[in-house]
Each structure stands twice: as C-alpha cells, then as structure tokens.
C-alpha cells in the first residue's frame, strides 16, 4: 500500500472527523510499521477478547454468538461494513482500527477504546486479516472523497429531494420518513442469509458506523458490504452525496435525547385530549425513554425491535392522559404496548420487579394490542401471569403512519377498582414501558422493556415542581447507587 | 430472591444503555451452524494461455432433463407494480418437448491453453427489464467487467456475493441506464441479487478459459477449437446443480457429450 496524495487527504479528513488522528500513519512507510506489529500480541488479544463472539476460526460462531442479532461477523469472507474503500473492497488498516476502537452501536460489537491499547488494536486488526485470504491478494485503497461543504437549509432540501426522488430512491428501503419501513424493507436478508432491516434514520446513535454527517456521507458512498445497503458512489456525485448526508443528518440529533429525571404530567383544566393530533399536546414536553432487551427471564431477547418511546403526560385532577409514540417498521396484528405501574405504592418505595412484577408485588398494565384494537387493564405478578381485570377503565386511541405508532391512553386517577393503583399527585409514581414488534416473533413478555422511571403529577402550585427537581435527581442517583452496591455484594457473596 | 431481582435490574440497565457496544452474558444455547459453503482456496493461477489453435476438435451434444418440471413459480409483486406488473412468473427449469434443457452452462474446467479468451466476446451485458434479469445466467471471462443496464427506470441495486472475487453492491437508480462492474478476477459462480426486488436473481459465471457456453432452446451446445486432449467438463444449472464428465477430443474430430438431469 502506497500513500498517495488523495489517500493522505482522505485519511486526514477522516481522522479529523472521527477523532482518529492517532491512527494516521506517522511514517512514510506504514507497511514497515505494520510488519513490526506483533502478530503474537494480536493472536492473544483475539483469544482473550474476541473469540467468545467471533469464534476461534473467525467464523462468527463463538460460544456467545447464539441469539445475537446481528450475529458476530464471520471474517472468512472479507466482508466489512464500515470502510473508506469502494463497495466490496476490503477495509484499510485504519478502517479496521476505527471500527474496533468505536465498536458498532446498536449491536453487541463492543467499543474497545477504553479496554485495549492502540498497539493491541492494531495487532488484533492484523490478526483478523489472517482469516481471509483476500487480504493476501488485494490491497485496499480509500475511495477519493470530498470534504464536507457544510450543511445548509438548501443542501438539506436538495438532499430530501434526492432521498425520495428517482435519482436515489432511498425511500424504497428506508421509507418516507426514514424510519426503515420502506416497501422493500420487509424481506431483506444480509449476505449470510440472516434477516436484516434498514436503519431507522431517526436514531443515528444506533448507526453501525457512527452518527456524524461525515460518517453518513461515507456509508452512502461506500455502502455497507455484506448488507443490502448499496453504494451510491457510481451514481451520485460528491455534492449530491453530501446533500443526502446532510438531509439524513437533519432528521435527528446524533445522541439520544437526554433522559429527564422524571416524567412530568402538567395539570390542565377541563377535559384531556384523546387524539394524538390534538393541539393540546403541542405545548407538552416530550421525554424519550430507551427500551432494551430483557435477558433475565425466558424468552431472552438481546436486541428487540423497538428501541425507545417518546412520552407526554397531562392530568386534570381526575384523569391522567399519556401520549406514547414509538417506531415499528412493520404494522402487525401482534404488535402491542404496555404501560406499567405498581398495583400499590409501597411505603418504603420498594417496587415490583420491572419485568411485569413479582410474586409479592403486582403491577397494573395498560395493555394495548393491534389485533382487535384491544385496550385493556391487566394485572401481573411476573412473566406469564397477566390477567385481565374485571373492571375496565381505559379509554384511548391509536394511529399508525410511516412506521410510527401514536397511542393516547387515559384513565381516571382513582377508578374505585381495588385492583387499580390510585395515582397520586405531588408524589413520584414508578412507571415503565414495554413494546412488542409482532412480526419479529416477540411475545408480550419478550419484547422491548425499560426499567422503572418516575412519573410526577404536578400540583396546581407551580413552585412545587422546582422543589422536587433536585430531590428527584438525588433520589434517582441514590437508588442507582443502592442497586449497584447490592449487586456488588451479591456477586461477591 | 431480592438479589436476583436486583441483579436482573442491573443487567437490563446495561442492556438498555444507548449507544450499543454492550456485551451480553454468554449463554450456553447451541450455536447455529455456519453456512455450509466454505470459502474455497483460490485456484492456483497457472494462467490460461490463449493463442491460435490449429486442428482443434469440437465438443457438442445436448443437455436434457427427464424429471418433472415444477412451476412456474409465481411471485406476487407488492412494490413498483406499474413497472414490474402484479405477478412475476419465474420458470426455474426451461426445456423443449424433447427434454432439451435451456440455460445450462457447459464448460471445461481444466484447460490451460487454447483459443483466446476474447472469443467469448468483449461486452457482457446484464439487463434489468420488467424487474427480472436478462439473461439469468451470464458467462464473463476473468479480466472483464459486466455492464448492467437498467431498462426499468426505477431503483434496482446490483448485489453480488462471491467467495473469491471482491463482492459489490451498488445502487442503480432509474436515472442511470448503465453501470459497469469491477472486472472479475477469479473463476467462480457468483450470485447476483436485487434487494429492492427480492425475487430477482441471476448468476455470473466467471471463467478463466473461453470454453464455456450456455445451452440453447433445445438444450444443445457446441464448443469449438478445442486442442486435442482429455478434459473435465462441468455442466451446471441454476436449479439442478452441477455434474462433471470426462471427454476426450481428437484433433479435427467431434466428441459428443450428452448429459441428463
């Protein structure tokens, strides 16, 4: 590999974009440096850190590989997603070092930057190259790239046009709003034959190769080899590629919204909205709560389809209304959603297990199911123990468009039903959310779920909420510390 | 009890942390098997020598199919119906009344010299028309690229998954009537798919010698200017798989090779 001018330029831009200056070859002859890498070190690092997923032979079949989605990469074919090289070409050494350093968000591939030294990362990258003979035959070179001209409303508008228009048709896979729900999204497989879905472009923090406009530009230009995501290098010019990249970049912030200390339900006068479109919601702040897999109870699910829920809350002194918004690529009769609260508030703030309660402490579930447009109050005291309440008190409305559900659900604060929690105001109430994407064979108990959050129904005196904020923060922090401490104790026991 | 609950909470907290890179607890569930087809060792590149063949022989014959024909397989089109229609019928096996099998590849796999590789032609065209590939099997000599046409005016992507050659996956929007692949470098059978239209698939047969041909409508084929000798001939069909035969060609003579599936 010779360092040409473009290559060096490309390397510099990339390095700057990714904060990767450390990997820029520091001598004129990178080859000599690489040869000097201790292959023995690479082998050792691989055996200790990577083998459990990627397998002894690099076949992606390590002992921990089962049930991972996407599966750990089989290195024997030389298929790599995150590259600066043309479609199908092998990655450069710097590409490998980068992806090992930063990991692949949204997958089980860890970021190794705080675990391995730079030398270890370069050595293990060298070891990975022994798994495919293509590395002996081919010498990958970065594709020529253009530095970003800078985003602007005009560039974003042009990008939007390309995204939906016949010049790029990204919508075929990614859908009108970029939520990964296009007409071709449902039957995609990767090159290993595993099902795969187009990225939800409104969640760039889960992009495999990073969320920045520079990352997005490179992914569109080079494609993600081994996946259906094609390279547009042959068909779009660099200006156009940047326009599309800036459009995708404009769809959402790079990081997930910061989680609020608690979910505030402001008090309003009069009746509460029932429709998701009601203008009343416009003034209500929205909180994002990430959802993840539950791995403690059968059936385990490491990477459920629904990644989070945006929540708004209002009350009027007698009723609570929640507006819930979540992304689901494929509308399916088995789609469902749960809002979870303890059935009773314990004096000592002891909560039920958040995975649908436990044998001593029950939870109330506000359960919505796409089939039969069912909205039903259930009680549960653990996985598989859901029971429909005899008295039903929920009203709601649901809508689905462009890969997104919007559900409004309302219940009286005090229903008079002894199975129901009396939702107090001026006090923290644990609340949790769970979502099932029916198509991916998730069941009501094995979908995405989040840990307990705090709901706070505001009292009329506005001053009160100011007092509560620092207390809530302190409380959450204290609880976390408690959990950590107890876990430490129990693991050392 | 309480401990387990808390441990569960901690594990979930880790699993829900945004940004990925989480390591799940190893499980003891059996790992699924890797794809059965392993990457092959790249064939030793002796390098095929092309030149003039004087007094070469001919191999000709018919490939036929006696089994039952299943199909046509009907795909219900659920996207781009204006262009692709409402259903697409894919005939997996095409044969004439006498059983002659169309679109089987007949090729010599172990020949080291003979007529020039350019005898196979200089342009190798794969068209995307009515949301299917034409032809469905394309023979391309190594060193040559393939030209991909988009006669449909809608987005296709051209996605290959070879073992030995570099793969590629490039978008071809309706505004781009023609693109060119990288040249193929090693002989092998290479699947081509379009992810936008999951029913579309074709095969590129990359060959390192010019003795390769597709059977015609009646299942017949002819390979000409074969230097005298004994060769391994592989017969391959996308649905029916491969079989190999030995054939001896005499100078100026015609060797008959008939094969049946």
């Amino acid at each position: 590999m010779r360092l040409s001018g473009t290559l060096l330029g490309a390397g510099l831009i990339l390095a700057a974009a990714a904060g990767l200056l450390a990997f820029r070859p520091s001598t004129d002859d990178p080859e000599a440096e690489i040869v000097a890498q201790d292959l023995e070190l690479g082998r050792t690092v691989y055996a200790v850190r990577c083998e459990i997923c990627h397998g002894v032979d690099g076949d992606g079949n390590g002992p921990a590989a089962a049930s991972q989605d996407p599966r750990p990469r089989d290195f024997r074919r030389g298929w790599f997603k995150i590259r600066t090289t043309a479609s199908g070409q092998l990655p450069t050494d710097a590409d490998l070092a980068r992806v090992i350093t930063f990991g692949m968000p949204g997958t089980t591939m860890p970021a190794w930057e705080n675990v391995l030294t730079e030398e270890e990362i370069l050595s293990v990258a060298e070891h990975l190259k022994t798994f495919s003979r293509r590395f002996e035959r081919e010498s990958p070179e970065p594709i020529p790239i253009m530095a970003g001209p800078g985003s602007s409303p005009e560039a974003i508008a042009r990008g939007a046009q390309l995204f939906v228009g016949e010049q790029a048709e990204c919508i075929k896979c990614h859908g009108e709003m970029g939520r990964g729900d296009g007409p071709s999204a449902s039957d995609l497989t990767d090159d290993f034959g595993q099902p795969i879905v187009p990225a939800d472009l409104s969640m760039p923090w889960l992009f495999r190769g990073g969320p920045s406009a520079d990352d997005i530009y490179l992914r569109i230009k080079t494609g993600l080899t081994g996946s259906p995501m094609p390279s547009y290098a042959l068909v779009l010019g660099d200006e156009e590629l940047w326009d599309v990249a800036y459009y995708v970049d404009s769809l959402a912030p790079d990081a997930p919204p910061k989680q609020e200390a608690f979910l505030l339900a402001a008090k309003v006068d009069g009746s509460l909205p029932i429709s998701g479109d009601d203008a009343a919601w416009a003034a209500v702040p929205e909180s994002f709560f990430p959802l993840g897999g539950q791995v403690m109870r059968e059936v385990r699910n490491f990477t459920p389809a629904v990644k989070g829920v945006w929540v708004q809350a209002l009350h009027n002194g007698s009723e609570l209304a929640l507006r819930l918004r979540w992304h689901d690529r494929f509308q399916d009769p088995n789609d469902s959603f749960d809002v979870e609260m303890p059935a009773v508030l314990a004096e000592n703030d002891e909560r039920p297990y958040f995975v649908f309660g436990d044998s001593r402490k029950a939870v109330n579930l506000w359960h919505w199911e796409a089939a039969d447009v069912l909205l039903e109050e259930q009680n549960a005291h653990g996985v598989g123990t859901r029971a429909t309440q005899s008295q039903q008190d929920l009203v709601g409305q649901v809508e689905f468009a462009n890969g997104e559900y919007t559900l409004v659900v309302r219940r009286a604060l005090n229903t008079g039903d002894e199975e129901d929690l009396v939702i107090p105001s001026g006090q923290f109430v644990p609340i949790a959310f769970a979502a099932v994407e029916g198509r991916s064979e998730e069941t009501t108990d094995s979908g995405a779920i989040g840990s307990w959050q705090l709901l706070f129904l505001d009292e009329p005196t506005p001053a009160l909420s100011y007092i509560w904020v620092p207390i809530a923060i302190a409380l959450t922090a204290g609880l976390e510390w408690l959990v950590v401490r107890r876990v430490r104790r129990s693991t050392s026991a | 009890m309480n401990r387990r609950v808390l441990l569960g909470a901690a594990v979930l907290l880790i699993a829900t942390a945004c940004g990925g890179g989480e390591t799940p607890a190893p499980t003891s569930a059996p790992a699924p098997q890797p794809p059965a087809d392993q990457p092959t060792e790249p064939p030793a590149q002796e390098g095929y020598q092309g030149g003039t063949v004087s007094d070469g022989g001919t191999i000709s014959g018919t490939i036929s199919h006696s089994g039952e024909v299943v199909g046509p397989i009907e795909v219900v089109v659920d996207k781009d119906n204006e262009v692709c229609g409402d259903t697409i019928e894919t005939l997996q096996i095409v044969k004439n009344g006498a059983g002659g099998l169309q679109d089987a590849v007949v090729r010599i796999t172990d020949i080291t010299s003979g007529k020039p590789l350019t005898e196979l032609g200089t342009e190798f065209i794969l068209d995307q028309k009515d949301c299917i590939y034409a032809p469905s099997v394309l023979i391309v000599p190594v060193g040559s690229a393939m030209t991909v046409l988009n006669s449909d005016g809608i987005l296709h992507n051209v996605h290959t998954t070879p073992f030995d050659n570099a793969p590629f996956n490039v978008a071809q929007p309706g505004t781009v009537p023609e693109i060119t692949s990288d040249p193929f470098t090693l002989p092998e059978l290479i699947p081509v798919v379009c992810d936008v239209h999951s029913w579309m698939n074709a095969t590129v047969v990359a060959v390192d010698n010019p003795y390769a041909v597709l059977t015609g409508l009646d299942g017949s084929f002819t390979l000409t200017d074969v230097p005298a000798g004994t060769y391994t001939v592989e017969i391959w069909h996308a649905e029916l798989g491969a079989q190999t035969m030995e054939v001896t060609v005499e100078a100026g003579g015609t060797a008959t090779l008939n094969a049946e599936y």
Side-chain angles (χ1 to χ4, degrees):
Chain A
M1 190 179 84
R2 279 249 53 94
L3 269 188
S4 68
T6 30
L7 165 53
L8 192 63
L12 273 171
I13 291 161
L14 285 176
L20 245 185
L21 280 164
F23 292 115
R24 187 161 50 89
S26 53
T27 69
D28 281 343
D29 188 1
E31 215 135 358
E33 247 186 345
I34 285 157
V35 171
Q37 294 309 324
D38 188 353
L39 260 175
E40 193 50 45
L41 176 62
R43 220 190 319 272
T44 311
V45 172
Y46 185 83
V48 176
R49 304 290 187 178
C50 322
E51 223 170 82
I52 184 162
C53 290
H54 290 286
V56 186
D57 307 319
D59 60 1
N61 247 327
S67 75
Q68 289 186 34
D69 172 25
R71 292 183 54 76
R73 187 65 46 75
D74 175 347
F75 294 125
R76 296 170 306 171
R77 300 291 290 264
W79 291 343
F80 292 88
K81 292 181 177 175
I82 309 306
R83 307 173 332 279
T84 58
T85 60
S87 174
Q89 301 298 306
L90 294 169
T92 64
D93 293 341
D95 292 342
L96 283 175
R98 185 197 185 285
V99 78
I100 296 167
T101 303
F102 297 114
M104 297 178 84
T107 80
T108 49
M109 169 66 194
W112 295 98
E113 61 182 326
N114 298 322
V115 182
L116 300 177
T117 65
E118 187 186 325
E119 192 197 0
E120 286 171 324
I121 287 173
L122 290 170
S123 306
V124 76
E126 222 29 56
H127 182 65
L128 296 188
K129 289 158 67 178
T130 63
F131 292 124
S132 167
R133 297 188 64 114
R134 284 183 55 206
F135 282 98
E136 293 166 21
R137 301 198 294 268
E138 300 171 30
S139 31
E141 295 268 352
I143 196 169
I145 62 166
M146 179 182 126
S151 188
S152 67
E154 295 74 32
I156 291 171
R158 288 193 302 268
Q161 197 48 49
L162 288 164
F163 190 86
V164 300
E166 58 172 355
Q167 265 183 285
E169 283 199 74
C170 312
I171 52 166
K172 278 286 162 58
C173 293
H174 289 283
E176 202 98 13
M177 308 288 284
R179 293 179 187 136
D181 62 322
S184 296
S186 62
D187 41 17
L188 298 177
T189 51
D190 70 14
D191 293 4
F192 298 98
Q194 301 292 318
I196 188 171
V197 289
D200 180 344
L201 302 179
S202 58
M203 298 191 177
W205 55 88
L206 299 177
F207 287 176
R208 311 301 186 238
S212 73
D214 300 69
D215 294 321
I216 298 167
Y217 161 82
L218 269 172
R219 296 298 89 72
I220 305 171
K221 181 152 190 173
T222 68
L224 275 73
T225 297
S227 91
M229 172 68 198
S231 153
Y232 279 79
L234 299 183
V235 297
L236 295 181
D238 275 310
E239 281 85 4
E240 292 167 317
L241 288 167
W242 275 111
D243 288 344
V244 184
Y246 288 135
Y247 169 67
V248 172
D249 185 54
S250 75
L251 293 174
D254 284 0
K258 209 174 152 286
Q259 232 177 300
E260 302 297 327
F262 59 90
L263 173 65
L264 180 71
K267 186 169 183 200
V268 293
D269 294 326
S271 65
L272 296 175
I274 188 79
S275 151
D277 300 334
D278 198 297
W281 293 113
V284 183
E286 201 171 48
S287 307
F288 178 77
F289 299 109
L291 302 181
Q294 74 87 13
V295 295
M296 292 307 287
R297 296 276 195 272
E298 295 296 340
V299 176
R300 293 186 179 84
N301 184 350
F302 291 108
T303 39
V306 180
K307 305 297 183 196
V309 56
W310 288 265
V311 189
Q312 292 166 284
L314 283 176
H315 81 106
N316 61 6
S318 60
E319 230 186 340
L320 171 69
L322 299 175
R323 181 176 184 269
L324 307 144
R325 195 162 71 75
W326 70 98
H327 291 181
D328 180 333
R329 290 175 177 82
F330 311 109
Q331 195 175 18
D332 186 280
N334 292 322
D335 291 341
S336 69
F337 197 92
D338 283 297
V339 176
E340 187 184 2
M341 290 185 228
V344 287
L345 292 181
E347 294 281 301
N348 56 0
D349 197 42
E350 246 195 78
R351 303 156 182 196
Y353 187 41
F354 67 97
V355 186
F356 309 117
D358 55 67
S359 54
R360 288 184 300 121
K361 296 182 290 307
V363 292
N364 283 169
L365 297 171
W366 300 3
H367 179 72
W368 168 81
E369 226 171 83
D372 319 320
V373 204
L374 178 81
L375 191 57
E376 137 177 317
E377 278 187 287
Q378 301 175 337
N379 268 14
H381 49 86
V383 163
T385 64
R386 286 163 186 267
T388 306
Q389 291 187 8
S390 47
Q391 182 183 322
Q392 291 292 319
D393 305 291
L394 296 177
V395 290
Q397 230 178 57
V398 73
E399 234 147 276
F400 181 86
N402 290 319
E404 180 179 82
Y405 277 110
T406 306
L407 170 68
V408 174
V409 57
R410 267 171 33 188
R411 206 207 74 180
L413 300 179
N414 185 352
T415 58
D417 178 355
E418 60 179 24
E419 286 190 291
D420 280 347
L421 173 71
V422 178
I423 303 169
S425 59
Q427 189 183 333
F428 287 110
V429 180
I431 188 168
F433 308 96
V436 167
E437 193 212 53
R439 174 183 169 271
S440 48
E441 288 169 26
E442 294 173 352
T443 62
T444 39
D445 290 334
S446 74
I449 189 166
S451 49
W452 287 117
Q453 308 293 331
L454 297 172
L455 169 70
F456 186 84
L457 275 58
D458 207 5
E459 292 279 21
T461 349
L464 204 60
S465 52
Y466 295 107
I467 302 169
W468 275 108
V469 173
I471 299 177
I473 293 169
L475 208 89
T476 326
L479 271 172
E480 256 160 37
W481 178 78
L482 212 83
V483 170
V484 171
R485 213 179 51 141
R486 286 221 218 159
V487 169
R488 282 219 191 103
R489 251 203 253 139
S490 67
T491 41
S492 60
Chain B
M1 171 66 213
N2 218 358
R3 272 185 194 170
R4 229 170 84 211
V5 165
L6 281 165
L7 189 62
V11 169
L12 183 117
L13 283 176
I14 294 165
T16 52
C18 326
E22 50 269 355
T23 311
T27 63
S28 52
Q33 287 309 300
D37 37 356
Q38 297 290 314
T40 51
E41 289 281 303
Q45 277 285 71
E46 311 90 14
Y48 172 81
Q49 295 296 324
T52 13
V53 177
S54 52
D55 214 15
T58 297
I59 306 173
S60 72
T62 301
I63 311 301
S64 54
H65 179 251
S66 59
E68 243 175 74
V69 173
V70 205
I73 293 174
E74 194 180 90
V75 179
V76 177
V77 174
D78 56 357
K79 55 200 74 127
D80 291 323
N81 296 69
E82 332 72 63
V83 176
C84 309
D86 293 329
T87 55
I88 283 181
E89 283 192 355
T90 53
L91 274 172
Q92 309 306 107
I93 295 169
V94 183
K95 56 183 183 179
N96 71 358
L101 179 67
Q102 191 185 321
D103 282 345
V105 179
V106 182
R107 60 187 171 134
I108 300 179
T109 53
D110 59 352
I111 193 163
T112 51
S113 65
K115 63 183 174 183
L117 209 49
T118 47
E119 290 285 304
L120 282 174
T122 47
E123 241 201 335
F124 306 92
I125 297 174
L126 185 67
D127 192 6
Q128 302 165 104
K129 191 163 171 13
D130 304 328
C131 306
I132 53 173
Y133 290 111
S136 64
V137 182
L138 181 69
I139 297 171
V140 184
V142 297
S144 292
M146 131 178 109
T147 301
V148 187
L149 304 182
N150 185 347
S151 303
D152 284 337
I154 53 168
L155 175 74
H156 290 297
N157 68 313
V158 187
H159 186 168
T160 68
T161 50
F163 278 109
D164 296 325
N165 289 273
F168 61 84
N169 177 8
V170 293
Q172 188 172 20
T175 49
V176 181
E178 182 178 322
I179 57 174
T180 308
S181 75
D182 286 337
F184 297 96
T185 53
L186 293 165
E188 67 173 314
L189 297 166
I190 303 170
V192 185
V193 298
C194 169
D195 297 291
V196 182
H197 309 99
S198 54
W199 59 83
M200 290 176 69
N201 52 75
T203 307
V204 166
V205 184
V207 291
D208 59 0
N209 72 64
Y211 300 98
V213 68
L214 274 180
T215 55
L217 298 173
D218 58 355
S220 70
F221 73 93
T222 308
L223 292 168
T224 58
D225 297 323
V226 187
T230 298
Y231 303 105
T232 307
V233 172
E234 184 181 286
I235 300 129
W236 176 87
H237 183 273
E239 272 306 298
L240 303 169
Q243 43 180 299
T244 52
M245 300 182 113
E246 290 266 288
V247 67
T248 299
V249 182
E250 275 160 22
T254 294
T256 303
L257 185 151
N258 293 323
E260 190 168 296
Y261 281 98

